[in-house]
Amino acid sequence: MGAGAGSEPRRRTASDQVHAVLLEAAQSVLDREGLANVTVRAVAREAGVAPMGVYNRFGNKEGLLLALAVRALDDLAGAVAVDGSLDAEERFRQGCVAYRDFALAHPQRYALIFGGGGPVAQTGSGASVYGHAAFEVLIELVEGLLDRESLKRYAGSAEAAQLVWTAIHGAVHLELGGIGQVSGPHDIYERLIDLLVRGLR
Amino acid sequence: MGAGAGSEPRRRTASDQVHAVLLEAAQSVLDREGLANVTVRAVAREAGVAPMGVYNRFGNKEGLLLALAVRALDDLAGAVAVDGSLDAEERFRQGCVAYRDFALAHPQRYALIFGGGGPVAQTGSGASVYGHAAFEVLIELVEGLLDRESLKRYAGSAEAAQLVWTAIHGAVHLELGGIGQVSGPHDIYERLIDLLVRGLR
């Protein structure tokens, strides 16, 4: 918005590039070694810069984790935003499947954003705002599924979306934790989506 | 089973009592200071015994955590097993509410058993077996809700119970983690139970 049609895209400055390189390094450490090992020192080593270079960009470890969480939430939102040309139920189903696929492909990123106690839990933080952007995608999928009558069951479509998030998060969290009383997490997840489609409407 | 109708209950030996005292001390440390601080040393201090007294009973810290998890799962099963004289839907609802109440009252115990990475995740361990006992209570609640026709949707009532567990665990885990995009976790949980009752059948 704001920029005229003919304007050039903003060039990435050298500063932007350093930021991106450090964040990429932090994500590599997270994916490979887990949240507990994402330290300023480890990220600096991974990127081949002095620790001060990381402090200068992100302030401290918390700032670094927040930036990582924001990026992960952004990627999750992108993953869940499925093809708009499909019918509403199919879009909802594919969005739910994409949510699980993201978590299984990036378990450390998922734990960072929704493991509890991380930067996302701090209400009002940047990550909580970005989390809302990802949530908006889910709201849209749920709105496609609900007609005016079924929508009356909820305080709003955000409430219905929260229920969906609750259920799919529970499935993914138990699966990632290796806890489950019934085998076949893929089938369980499919049955859960069926249940949500029936129960939401 | 096995003991005749007139037989006396087995007397608790002094050894049983020491075991119970140590476990109670471990649970106090867990509730007060969290899982990371449940060490053999801290539990021995809490109980006023030498660390060797804890090692002698539980082998090591893992053995201690397993015993704690087994106890917590047993308590959870007891909490969720609601009054059998209620009608099936009301029993199901009350069982789900009791599950959340347990988690909110004992967040550290809940994290121990279902936080992921704990002793319950190790399949075949004692805790996984005790976890199954708690799960049986949930299966029974779900079976009350399903008729022969709706049961056909699932590979069995255990699969349907797994879906319920998935959803209520997700709600509780997000609430305990302080993550949620819609306020009012109590109302959200009530709406989730409504959704499960509709969607299961």
Side-chain angles (χ1 to χ4, degrees), chain A residues 114-115 121 128 131-132 135 153-154 158-159 162-163 165-167 169-171 173-174 177-182 188 191-192 195-196 198-200, chain B residues 114-115 121 128 131-132 135 153-154 158-159 162-163 165-167 169-171 173-174 177-182 188 191-192 195 198-200:
Chain A
F114 299 139
S128 142
H132 192 73
F135 190 61
R153 293 210 175 91
Y154 309 101
E159 186 180 87
Q162 175 78 37
L163 301 182
W165 180 30
T166 284
H169 166 71
H173 185 255
L174 290 179
I179 315 171
Q181 290 285 341
V182 173
I188 289 291
R191 291 298 80 70
L192 182 66
L195 185 156
L196 290 170
R198 277 196 307 274
L200 276 169
Chain B
F114 298 139
S128 142
H132 192 73
F135 191 60
R153 291 209 177 95
Y154 310 101
E159 187 180 87
Q162 174 79 38
L163 300 181
W165 180 31
T166 283
H169 166 71
H173 185 256
L174 289 178
I179 315 169
Q181 291 284 339
V182 173
I188 290 291
R191 293 295 82 69
L192 182 66
L195 186 156
R198 277 195 307 273
L200 277 169

Short mmCIF file of all heavy atoms in Angstrom, two decimals, chain A residues 114-115 121 128 131-132 135 153-154 158-159 162-163 165-167 169-171 173-174 177-182 188 191-192 195-196 198-200, chain B residues 114-115 121 128 131-132 135 153-154 158-159 162-163 165-167 169-171 173-174 177-182 188 191-192 195 198-200:
data_model
loop_
_atom_site.label_atom_id
_atom_site.label_comp_id
_atom_site.label_asym_id
_atom_site.label_seq_id
_atom_site.Cartn_x
_atom_site.Cartn_y
_atom_site.Cartn_z
N PHE A 114 4.34 -22.80 20.16
CA PHE A 114 3.17 -23.27 20.92
C PHE A 114 3.50 -24.25 22.04
O PHE A 114 2.61 -24.91 22.57
CB PHE A 114 2.14 -23.91 19.98
CG PHE A 114 1.60 -22.98 18.94
CD1 PHE A 114 1.41 -23.41 17.63
CD2 PHE A 114 1.27 -21.67 19.27
CE1 PHE A 114 0.91 -22.55 16.66
CE2 PHE A 114 0.77 -20.81 18.30
CZ PHE A 114 0.58 -21.25 17.00
N GLY A 115 4.78 -24.37 22.38
CA GLY A 115 5.15 -25.30 23.43
C GLY A 115 4.77 -24.80 24.82
O GLY A 115 4.78 -25.55 25.78
N ALA A 121 3.60 -16.69 24.49
CA ALA A 121 2.71 -16.64 25.66
C ALA A 121 2.64 -15.24 26.25
O ALA A 121 1.72 -14.92 26.99
CB ALA A 121 3.19 -17.63 26.72
N SER A 128 2.72 -12.46 19.59
CA SER A 128 1.30 -12.67 19.81
C SER A 128 0.49 -11.97 18.71
O SER A 128 -0.53 -12.47 18.25
CB SER A 128 0.94 -12.17 21.22
OG SER A 128 -0.30 -11.55 21.24
N GLY A 131 0.98 -14.08 15.72
CA GLY A 131 0.16 -15.26 15.94
C GLY A 131 -1.27 -14.99 15.51
O GLY A 131 -1.94 -15.86 14.95
N HIS A 132 -1.70 -13.77 15.73
CA HIS A 132 -3.06 -13.43 15.33
C HIS A 132 -3.21 -13.46 13.81
O HIS A 132 -4.25 -13.88 13.30
CB HIS A 132 -3.48 -12.07 15.88
CG HIS A 132 -4.94 -11.84 15.74
ND1 HIS A 132 -5.86 -12.49 16.53
CD2 HIS A 132 -5.65 -11.10 14.86
CE1 HIS A 132 -7.07 -12.13 16.16
NE2 HIS A 132 -6.98 -11.30 15.15
N PHE A 135 -3.74 -16.88 12.90
CA PHE A 135 -5.07 -17.27 13.36
C PHE A 135 -6.15 -16.79 12.39
O PHE A 135 -7.16 -17.46 12.17
CB PHE A 135 -5.30 -16.68 14.76
CG PHE A 135 -6.52 -17.20 15.47
CD1 PHE A 135 -6.66 -18.54 15.77
CD2 PHE A 135 -7.53 -16.33 15.85
CE1 PHE A 135 -7.78 -19.01 16.44
CE2 PHE A 135 -8.65 -16.79 16.50
CZ PHE A 135 -8.78 -18.13 16.80
N ARG A 153 -24.06 -20.58 17.03
CA ARG A 153 -23.60 -21.36 18.18
C ARG A 153 -22.42 -20.72 18.89
O ARG A 153 -22.12 -21.05 20.03
CB ARG A 153 -23.10 -22.73 17.71
CG ARG A 153 -24.14 -23.64 17.17
CD ARG A 153 -23.72 -25.07 17.46
NE ARG A 153 -24.76 -25.98 17.05
CZ ARG A 153 -24.83 -26.53 15.84
NH1 ARG A 153 -23.89 -26.26 14.95
NH2 ARG A 153 -25.81 -27.33 15.54
N TYR A 154 -21.74 -19.84 18.19
CA TYR A 154 -20.47 -19.32 18.71
C TYR A 154 -20.56 -17.83 18.97
O TYR A 154 -21.38 -17.13 18.36
CB TYR A 154 -19.35 -19.63 17.71
CG TYR A 154 -19.34 -21.08 17.31
CD1 TYR A 154 -19.88 -21.50 16.09
CD2 TYR A 154 -18.83 -22.05 18.17
CE1 TYR A 154 -19.91 -22.84 15.74
CE2 TYR A 154 -18.86 -23.39 17.84
CZ TYR A 154 -19.41 -23.78 16.62
OH TYR A 154 -19.44 -25.11 16.29
N ALA A 158 -14.26 -16.30 15.34
CA ALA A 158 -12.98 -16.47 16.03
C ALA A 158 -13.09 -17.54 17.12
O ALA A 158 -12.16 -18.31 17.33
CB ALA A 158 -12.51 -15.15 16.63
N GLU A 159 -14.24 -17.57 17.80
CA GLU A 159 -14.42 -18.59 18.83
C GLU A 159 -14.43 -19.99 18.20
O GLU A 159 -13.79 -20.91 18.72
CB GLU A 159 -15.71 -18.36 19.61
CG GLU A 159 -15.86 -19.30 20.79
CD GLU A 159 -17.15 -19.09 21.57
OE1 GLU A 159 -18.19 -19.68 21.22
OE2 GLU A 159 -17.12 -18.31 22.54
N GLN A 162 -10.99 -20.91 17.35
CA GLN A 162 -10.21 -21.29 18.54
C GLN A 162 -10.46 -22.76 18.89
O GLN A 162 -9.54 -23.47 19.30
CB GLN A 162 -10.60 -20.38 19.71
CG GLN A 162 -9.96 -20.75 21.05
CD GLN A 162 -8.51 -20.30 21.18
OE1 GLN A 162 -8.14 -19.24 20.70
NE2 GLN A 162 -7.68 -21.12 21.80
N LEU A 163 -11.69 -23.23 18.72
CA LEU A 163 -12.01 -24.63 19.01
C LEU A 163 -11.25 -25.55 18.07
O LEU A 163 -10.73 -26.59 18.47
CB LEU A 163 -13.51 -24.88 18.89
CG LEU A 163 -14.41 -24.05 19.81
CD1 LEU A 163 -15.87 -24.44 19.62
CD2 LEU A 163 -14.00 -24.22 21.26
N TRP A 165 -8.45 -24.84 16.50
CA TRP A 165 -7.03 -24.75 16.84
C TRP A 165 -6.72 -25.63 18.05
O TRP A 165 -5.74 -26.38 18.08
CB TRP A 165 -6.66 -23.30 17.12
CG TRP A 165 -5.22 -23.10 17.47
CD1 TRP A 165 -4.16 -23.86 17.04
CD2 TRP A 165 -4.67 -22.11 18.34
NE1 TRP A 165 -2.99 -23.39 17.58
CE2 TRP A 165 -3.27 -22.32 18.38
CE3 TRP A 165 -5.21 -21.07 19.08
CZ2 TRP A 165 -2.42 -21.51 19.14
CZ3 TRP A 165 -4.36 -20.27 19.82
CH2 TRP A 165 -2.98 -20.49 19.85
N THR A 166 -7.57 -25.51 19.07
CA THR A 166 -7.46 -26.33 20.27
C THR A 166 -7.31 -27.82 19.93
O THR A 166 -6.41 -28.49 20.41
CB THR A 166 -8.74 -26.10 21.12
OG1 THR A 166 -8.62 -24.83 21.75
CG2 THR A 166 -8.94 -27.17 22.14
N ALA A 167 -8.20 -28.29 19.08
CA ALA A 167 -8.23 -29.73 18.77
C ALA A 167 -7.02 -30.15 17.94
O ALA A 167 -6.38 -31.16 18.23
CB ALA A 167 -9.53 -30.06 18.03
N HIS A 169 -4.17 -28.59 17.64
CA HIS A 169 -2.96 -28.44 18.45
C HIS A 169 -2.79 -29.64 19.38
O HIS A 169 -1.69 -30.17 19.54
CB HIS A 169 -3.00 -27.16 19.28
CG HIS A 169 -1.95 -27.13 20.35
ND1 HIS A 169 -0.60 -26.99 20.07
CD2 HIS A 169 -2.02 -27.29 21.70
CE1 HIS A 169 0.09 -27.04 21.20
NE2 HIS A 169 -0.75 -27.22 22.20
N GLY A 170 -3.89 -30.06 20.00
CA GLY A 170 -3.82 -31.21 20.91
C GLY A 170 -3.31 -32.45 20.19
O GLY A 170 -2.45 -33.18 20.70
N ALA A 171 -3.83 -32.69 18.99
CA ALA A 171 -3.41 -33.86 18.22
C ALA A 171 -1.93 -33.80 17.89
O ALA A 171 -1.18 -34.77 18.07
CB ALA A 171 -4.24 -33.96 16.93
N HIS A 173 0.41 -31.94 19.32
CA HIS A 173 1.26 -31.94 20.51
C HIS A 173 1.43 -33.34 21.09
O HIS A 173 2.53 -33.74 21.46
CB HIS A 173 0.67 -30.99 21.57
CG HIS A 173 1.54 -30.82 22.77
ND1 HIS A 173 1.26 -31.42 23.97
CD2 HIS A 173 2.71 -30.16 22.95
CE1 HIS A 173 2.21 -31.11 24.84
NE2 HIS A 173 3.09 -30.34 24.25
N LEU A 174 0.36 -34.11 21.13
CA LEU A 174 0.47 -35.49 21.61
C LEU A 174 1.34 -36.31 20.66
O LEU A 174 2.17 -37.11 21.09
CB LEU A 174 -0.90 -36.14 21.76
CG LEU A 174 -1.80 -35.63 22.90
CD1 LEU A 174 -3.14 -36.35 22.89
CD2 LEU A 174 -1.13 -35.79 24.26
N GLY A 177 4.94 -35.42 21.07
CA GLY A 177 5.43 -35.88 22.37
C GLY A 177 5.53 -37.40 22.46
O GLY A 177 6.03 -37.93 23.43
N GLY A 178 5.05 -38.07 21.42
CA GLY A 178 5.11 -39.54 21.43
C GLY A 178 4.13 -40.14 22.42
O GLY A 178 4.33 -41.26 22.89
N ILE A 179 3.08 -39.39 22.75
CA ILE A 179 2.09 -39.88 23.70
C ILE A 179 0.80 -40.16 22.94
O ILE A 179 0.29 -39.30 22.25
CB ILE A 179 1.76 -38.84 24.79
CG1 ILE A 179 3.04 -38.20 25.33
CG2 ILE A 179 0.98 -39.46 25.93
CD1 ILE A 179 2.76 -37.01 26.23
N GLY A 180 0.27 -41.33 23.11
CA GLY A 180 -1.01 -41.63 22.47
C GLY A 180 -1.39 -43.04 22.86
O GLY A 180 -0.54 -43.89 23.04
N GLN A 181 -2.68 -43.24 23.05
CA GLN A 181 -3.14 -44.56 23.48
C GLN A 181 -3.60 -45.40 22.30
O GLN A 181 -3.84 -46.59 22.43
CB GLN A 181 -4.26 -44.42 24.51
CG GLN A 181 -3.79 -43.88 25.85
CD GLN A 181 -3.05 -44.93 26.68
OE1 GLN A 181 -3.17 -46.12 26.43
NE2 GLN A 181 -2.27 -44.48 27.64
N VAL A 182 -3.74 -44.77 21.14
CA VAL A 182 -4.21 -45.47 19.95
C VAL A 182 -3.19 -45.21 18.85
O VAL A 182 -2.76 -44.07 18.66
CB VAL A 182 -5.60 -44.95 19.53
CG1 VAL A 182 -6.03 -45.56 18.21
CG2 VAL A 182 -6.62 -45.24 20.62
N ILE A 188 -5.85 -41.03 12.95
CA ILE A 188 -6.50 -40.32 14.06
C ILE A 188 -6.76 -38.87 13.65
O ILE A 188 -7.84 -38.32 13.91
CB ILE A 188 -5.60 -40.37 15.32
CG1 ILE A 188 -5.56 -41.78 15.91
CG2 ILE A 188 -6.07 -39.35 16.37
CD1 ILE A 188 -6.87 -42.23 16.52
N ARG A 191 -9.68 -38.63 11.28
CA ARG A 191 -10.96 -38.79 11.99
C ARG A 191 -11.29 -37.54 12.78
O ARG A 191 -12.45 -37.17 12.93
CB ARG A 191 -10.88 -39.99 12.95
CG ARG A 191 -10.80 -41.40 12.35
CD ARG A 191 -11.97 -41.80 11.52
NE ARG A 191 -11.92 -41.26 10.17
CZ ARG A 191 -11.05 -41.63 9.22
NH1 ARG A 191 -10.14 -42.56 9.46
NH2 ARG A 191 -11.08 -41.08 8.02
N LEU A 192 -10.23 -36.87 13.30
CA LEU A 192 -10.45 -35.64 14.06
C LEU A 192 -11.01 -34.54 13.15
O LEU A 192 -11.93 -33.81 13.53
CB LEU A 192 -9.14 -35.17 14.70
CG LEU A 192 -9.25 -33.91 15.57
CD1 LEU A 192 -10.11 -34.15 16.80
CD2 LEU A 192 -7.86 -33.40 15.99
N LEU A 195 -14.59 -35.22 12.58
CA LEU A 195 -15.37 -34.85 13.77
C LEU A 195 -15.57 -33.33 13.82
O LEU A 195 -16.67 -32.85 14.12
CB LEU A 195 -14.65 -35.33 15.02
CG LEU A 195 -15.35 -35.17 16.38
CD1 LEU A 195 -14.81 -36.18 17.38
CD2 LEU A 195 -15.21 -33.78 16.96
N LEU A 196 -14.54 -32.59 13.51
CA LEU A 196 -14.65 -31.13 13.54
C LEU A 196 -15.64 -30.63 12.50
O LEU A 196 -16.47 -29.75 12.79
CB LEU A 196 -13.27 -30.48 13.32
CG LEU A 196 -12.28 -30.64 14.48
CD1 LEU A 196 -10.89 -30.17 14.06
CD2 LEU A 196 -12.74 -29.88 15.72
N ARG A 198 -18.19 -32.23 11.27
CA ARG A 198 -19.54 -32.55 11.75
C ARG A 198 -19.94 -31.67 12.92
O ARG A 198 -21.05 -31.15 12.98
CB ARG A 198 -19.61 -34.02 12.22
CG ARG A 198 -19.82 -35.04 11.16
CD ARG A 198 -20.25 -36.38 11.78
NE ARG A 198 -19.35 -36.84 12.82
CZ ARG A 198 -18.24 -37.55 12.61
NH1 ARG A 198 -17.89 -37.90 11.39
NH2 ARG A 198 -17.48 -37.93 13.62
N GLY A 199 -19.02 -31.51 13.88
CA GLY A 199 -19.36 -30.85 15.13
C GLY A 199 -19.46 -29.34 15.03
O GLY A 199 -20.21 -28.72 15.78
N LEU A 200 -18.72 -28.75 14.09
CA LEU A 200 -18.74 -27.29 13.96
C LEU A 200 -20.08 -26.80 13.45
O LEU A 200 -20.58 -25.76 13.86
CB LEU A 200 -17.64 -26.83 12.99
CG LEU A 200 -16.24 -26.66 13.56
CD1 LEU A 200 -15.24 -26.46 12.43
CD2 LEU A 200 -16.16 -25.50 14.54
N PHE B 114 1.80 -35.30 30.59
CA PHE B 114 1.46 -35.07 29.18
C PHE B 114 2.23 -33.91 28.55
O PHE B 114 1.85 -33.44 27.47
CB PHE B 114 -0.04 -34.81 29.03
CG PHE B 114 -0.90 -35.96 29.45
CD1 PHE B 114 -2.08 -35.74 30.17
CD2 PHE B 114 -0.56 -37.27 29.15
CE1 PHE B 114 -2.89 -36.79 30.56
CE2 PHE B 114 -1.36 -38.33 29.55
CZ PHE B 114 -2.53 -38.09 30.26
N GLY B 115 3.27 -33.45 29.20
CA GLY B 115 4.04 -32.34 28.63
C GLY B 115 4.90 -32.76 27.45
O GLY B 115 5.40 -31.93 26.71
N ALA B 121 5.98 -40.86 27.76
CA ALA B 121 6.25 -41.01 26.33
C ALA B 121 6.99 -42.30 26.02
O ALA B 121 6.99 -42.77 24.88
CB ALA B 121 7.05 -39.80 25.83
N SER B 128 3.01 -45.74 30.97
CA SER B 128 2.18 -45.90 29.78
C SER B 128 1.04 -46.88 30.04
O SER B 128 -0.08 -46.70 29.58
CB SER B 128 3.08 -46.31 28.60
OG SER B 128 2.45 -47.24 27.79
N GLY B 131 -1.32 -45.06 32.24
CA GLY B 131 -2.00 -44.11 31.37
C GLY B 131 -3.17 -44.79 30.68
O GLY B 131 -4.22 -44.18 30.49
N HIS B 132 -2.99 -46.05 30.35
CA HIS B 132 -4.07 -46.76 29.70
C HIS B 132 -5.27 -46.94 30.64
O HIS B 132 -6.41 -46.86 30.21
CB HIS B 132 -3.60 -48.12 29.17
CG HIS B 132 -4.60 -48.73 28.25
ND1 HIS B 132 -4.81 -48.26 26.98
CD2 HIS B 132 -5.49 -49.73 28.43
CE1 HIS B 132 -5.78 -48.96 26.40
NE2 HIS B 132 -6.20 -49.85 27.27
N PHE B 135 -7.13 -43.90 30.51
CA PHE B 135 -7.77 -43.82 29.20
C PHE B 135 -9.05 -44.68 29.16
O PHE B 135 -10.02 -44.32 28.49
CB PHE B 135 -6.76 -44.28 28.14
CG PHE B 135 -7.18 -44.03 26.73
CD1 PHE B 135 -7.43 -42.74 26.28
CD2 PHE B 135 -7.32 -45.07 25.84
CE1 PHE B 135 -7.82 -42.50 24.97
CE2 PHE B 135 -7.70 -44.85 24.53
CZ PHE B 135 -7.95 -43.56 24.08
N ARG B 153 -18.38 -45.12 12.75
CA ARG B 153 -17.47 -44.11 12.20
C ARG B 153 -16.03 -44.36 12.60
O ARG B 153 -15.11 -43.83 11.98
CB ARG B 153 -17.84 -42.73 12.74
CG ARG B 153 -19.13 -42.20 12.24
CD ARG B 153 -19.03 -40.68 12.22
NE ARG B 153 -20.25 -40.14 11.68
CZ ARG B 153 -21.27 -39.73 12.42
NH1 ARG B 153 -21.20 -39.82 13.74
NH2 ARG B 153 -22.35 -39.25 11.85
N TYR B 154 -15.84 -45.09 13.69
CA TYR B 154 -14.52 -45.21 14.29
C TYR B 154 -14.01 -46.64 14.22
O TYR B 154 -14.80 -47.58 14.15
CB TYR B 154 -14.57 -44.74 15.75
CG TYR B 154 -15.23 -43.38 15.87
CD1 TYR B 154 -16.55 -43.26 16.27
CD2 TYR B 154 -14.53 -42.23 15.52
CE1 TYR B 154 -17.17 -42.02 16.35
CE2 TYR B 154 -15.14 -40.98 15.59
CZ TYR B 154 -16.45 -40.88 16.00
OH TYR B 154 -17.05 -39.66 16.06
N ALA B 158 -12.10 -46.87 21.39
CA ALA B 158 -10.82 -46.30 21.82
C ALA B 158 -10.39 -45.19 20.86
O ALA B 158 -9.82 -44.18 21.28
CB ALA B 158 -9.74 -47.38 21.89
N GLU B 159 -10.66 -45.37 19.56
CA GLU B 159 -10.31 -44.32 18.60
C GLU B 159 -11.12 -43.05 18.88
O GLU B 159 -10.58 -41.94 18.87
CB GLU B 159 -10.55 -44.80 17.16
CG GLU B 159 -10.04 -43.80 16.14
CD GLU B 159 -10.26 -44.26 14.70
OE1 GLU B 159 -11.34 -44.00 14.13
OE2 GLU B 159 -9.35 -44.89 14.16
N GLN B 162 -9.73 -41.37 21.83
CA GLN B 162 -8.48 -40.68 21.51
C GLN B 162 -8.76 -39.29 20.93
O GLN B 162 -8.05 -38.33 21.22
CB GLN B 162 -7.65 -41.52 20.53
CG GLN B 162 -6.38 -40.85 20.01
CD GLN B 162 -5.23 -40.89 21.01
OE1 GLN B 162 -5.03 -41.88 21.70
NE2 GLN B 162 -4.46 -39.82 21.09
N LEU B 163 -9.80 -39.18 20.11
CA LEU B 163 -10.17 -37.88 19.53
C LEU B 163 -10.58 -36.90 20.62
O LEU B 163 -10.21 -35.73 20.60
CB LEU B 163 -11.30 -38.04 18.52
CG LEU B 163 -11.02 -38.96 17.33
CD1 LEU B 163 -12.22 -39.00 16.40
CD2 LEU B 163 -9.77 -38.53 16.58
N TRP B 165 -9.70 -37.04 23.78
CA TRP B 165 -8.50 -36.72 24.57
C TRP B 165 -7.67 -35.65 23.85
O TRP B 165 -7.20 -34.67 24.44
CB TRP B 165 -7.69 -38.00 24.81
CG TRP B 165 -6.43 -37.77 25.61
CD1 TRP B 165 -6.24 -36.81 26.59
CD2 TRP B 165 -5.21 -38.48 25.51
NE1 TRP B 165 -4.97 -36.92 27.09
CE2 TRP B 165 -4.32 -37.92 26.45
CE3 TRP B 165 -4.78 -39.56 24.72
CZ2 TRP B 165 -3.01 -38.39 26.62
CZ3 TRP B 165 -3.48 -40.03 24.89
CH2 TRP B 165 -2.62 -39.45 25.82
N THR B 166 -7.48 -35.88 22.55
CA THR B 166 -6.75 -34.95 21.71
C THR B 166 -7.27 -33.51 21.88
O THR B 166 -6.51 -32.58 22.11
CB THR B 166 -6.92 -35.41 20.24
OG1 THR B 166 -6.05 -36.52 20.03
CG2 THR B 166 -6.60 -34.32 19.25
N ALA B 167 -8.58 -33.38 21.78
CA ALA B 167 -9.19 -32.04 21.82
C ALA B 167 -9.10 -31.42 23.21
O ALA B 167 -8.72 -30.25 23.36
CB ALA B 167 -10.65 -32.13 21.37
N HIS B 169 -7.06 -32.22 25.63
CA HIS B 169 -5.64 -31.96 25.95
C HIS B 169 -5.18 -30.65 25.28
O HIS B 169 -4.48 -29.85 25.89
CB HIS B 169 -4.75 -33.11 25.49
CG HIS B 169 -3.29 -32.75 25.50
ND1 HIS B 169 -2.58 -32.58 26.66
CD2 HIS B 169 -2.42 -32.46 24.49
CE1 HIS B 169 -1.33 -32.22 26.38
NE2 HIS B 169 -1.21 -32.14 25.07
N GLY B 170 -5.57 -30.47 24.03
CA GLY B 170 -5.17 -29.25 23.33
C GLY B 170 -5.67 -28.00 24.04
O GLY B 170 -4.93 -27.03 24.22
N ALA B 171 -6.92 -28.05 24.49
CA ALA B 171 -7.50 -26.89 25.18
C ALA B 171 -6.74 -26.60 26.47
O ALA B 171 -6.38 -25.46 26.77
CB ALA B 171 -8.97 -27.15 25.48
N HIS B 173 -3.73 -27.63 27.36
CA HIS B 173 -2.32 -27.29 27.13
C HIS B 173 -2.17 -25.83 26.70
O HIS B 173 -1.27 -25.13 27.17
CB HIS B 173 -1.71 -28.24 26.09
CG HIS B 173 -0.25 -28.03 25.90
ND1 HIS B 173 0.28 -27.39 24.81
CD2 HIS B 173 0.80 -28.35 26.69
CE1 HIS B 173 1.60 -27.34 24.93
NE2 HIS B 173 1.95 -27.92 26.04
N LEU B 174 -3.03 -25.37 25.82
CA LEU B 174 -2.97 -23.96 25.42
C LEU B 174 -3.30 -23.05 26.60
O LEU B 174 -2.65 -22.02 26.80
CB LEU B 174 -3.94 -23.67 24.26
CG LEU B 174 -3.57 -24.27 22.89
CD1 LEU B 174 -4.64 -23.93 21.86
CD2 LEU B 174 -2.21 -23.77 22.40
N GLY B 177 -0.42 -22.95 28.98
CA GLY B 177 0.70 -22.24 28.38
C GLY B 177 0.44 -20.74 28.22
O GLY B 177 1.33 -19.99 27.84
N GLY B 178 -0.78 -20.34 28.52
CA GLY B 178 -1.12 -18.92 28.40
C GLY B 178 -1.21 -18.47 26.95
O GLY B 178 -1.05 -17.30 26.63
N ILE B 179 -1.46 -19.43 26.04
CA ILE B 179 -1.56 -19.10 24.63
C ILE B 179 -3.01 -19.24 24.20
O ILE B 179 -3.62 -20.28 24.42
CB ILE B 179 -0.72 -20.06 23.76
CG1 ILE B 179 0.66 -20.29 24.36
CG2 ILE B 179 -0.58 -19.53 22.34
CD1 ILE B 179 1.40 -21.42 23.70
N GLY B 180 -3.54 -18.25 23.58
CA GLY B 180 -4.91 -18.36 23.08
C GLY B 180 -5.24 -17.08 22.37
O GLY B 180 -4.78 -16.01 22.76
N GLN B 181 -6.00 -17.17 21.31
CA GLN B 181 -6.35 -15.98 20.55
C GLN B 181 -7.70 -15.43 20.94
O GLN B 181 -8.08 -14.35 20.55
CB GLN B 181 -6.31 -16.29 19.04
CG GLN B 181 -4.92 -16.55 18.49
CD GLN B 181 -4.11 -15.26 18.33
OE1 GLN B 181 -4.67 -14.18 18.25
NE2 GLN B 181 -2.80 -15.39 18.28
N VAL B 182 -8.46 -16.21 21.69
CA VAL B 182 -9.79 -15.78 22.10
C VAL B 182 -9.84 -15.89 23.63
O VAL B 182 -9.42 -16.89 24.20
CB VAL B 182 -10.87 -16.69 21.47
CG1 VAL B 182 -12.24 -16.37 22.02
CG2 VAL B 182 -10.84 -16.56 19.96
N ILE B 188 -14.70 -21.24 26.29
CA ILE B 188 -14.15 -21.97 25.15
C ILE B 188 -14.24 -23.48 25.40
O ILE B 188 -14.62 -24.25 24.52
CB ILE B 188 -12.66 -21.56 24.91
CG1 ILE B 188 -12.58 -20.13 24.38
CG2 ILE B 188 -11.97 -22.54 23.97
CD1 ILE B 188 -13.11 -19.97 22.97
N ARG B 191 -17.75 -24.72 25.00
CA ARG B 191 -18.11 -24.81 23.57
C ARG B 191 -17.43 -26.01 22.92
O ARG B 191 -17.98 -26.64 22.02
CB ARG B 191 -17.70 -23.54 22.81
CG ARG B 191 -18.42 -22.23 23.17
CD ARG B 191 -19.88 -22.23 22.85
NE ARG B 191 -20.69 -22.89 23.88
CZ ARG B 191 -20.89 -22.41 25.13
NH1 ARG B 191 -20.38 -21.26 25.51
NH2 ARG B 191 -21.61 -23.08 26.00
N LEU B 192 -16.22 -26.31 23.39
CA LEU B 192 -15.51 -27.47 22.84
C LEU B 192 -16.24 -28.77 23.20
O LEU B 192 -16.38 -29.66 22.35
CB LEU B 192 -14.07 -27.51 23.39
CG LEU B 192 -13.20 -28.66 22.86
CD1 LEU B 192 -12.95 -28.51 21.36
CD2 LEU B 192 -11.87 -28.72 23.61
N LEU B 195 -19.15 -29.10 20.96
CA LEU B 195 -18.71 -29.52 19.63
C LEU B 195 -18.43 -31.03 19.61
O LEU B 195 -18.81 -31.74 18.67
CB LEU B 195 -17.47 -28.73 19.22
CG LEU B 195 -16.93 -28.92 17.80
CD1 LEU B 195 -16.13 -27.68 17.39
CD2 LEU B 195 -16.04 -30.15 17.65
N ARG B 198 -21.64 -33.04 19.65
CA ARG B 198 -22.28 -33.03 18.31
C ARG B 198 -21.47 -33.86 17.32
O ARG B 198 -22.03 -34.63 16.54
CB ARG B 198 -22.36 -31.60 17.77
CG ARG B 198 -23.52 -30.78 18.24
CD ARG B 198 -23.71 -29.54 17.37
NE ARG B 198 -22.50 -28.76 17.25
CZ ARG B 198 -22.12 -27.80 18.10
NH1 ARG B 198 -22.86 -27.51 19.15
NH2 ARG B 198 -21.00 -27.14 17.91
N GLY B 199 -20.15 -33.65 17.33
CA GLY B 199 -19.32 -34.25 16.29
C GLY B 199 -19.08 -35.74 16.45
O GLY B 199 -18.88 -36.45 15.47
N LEU B 200 -19.09 -36.21 17.69
CA LEU B 200 -18.82 -37.63 17.92
C LEU B 200 -19.93 -38.50 17.37
O LEU B 200 -19.68 -39.59 16.85
CB LEU B 200 -18.68 -37.90 19.43
CG LEU B 200 -17.31 -37.63 20.05
CD1 LEU B 200 -17.42 -37.69 21.58
CD2 LEU B 200 -16.26 -38.63 19.57
#
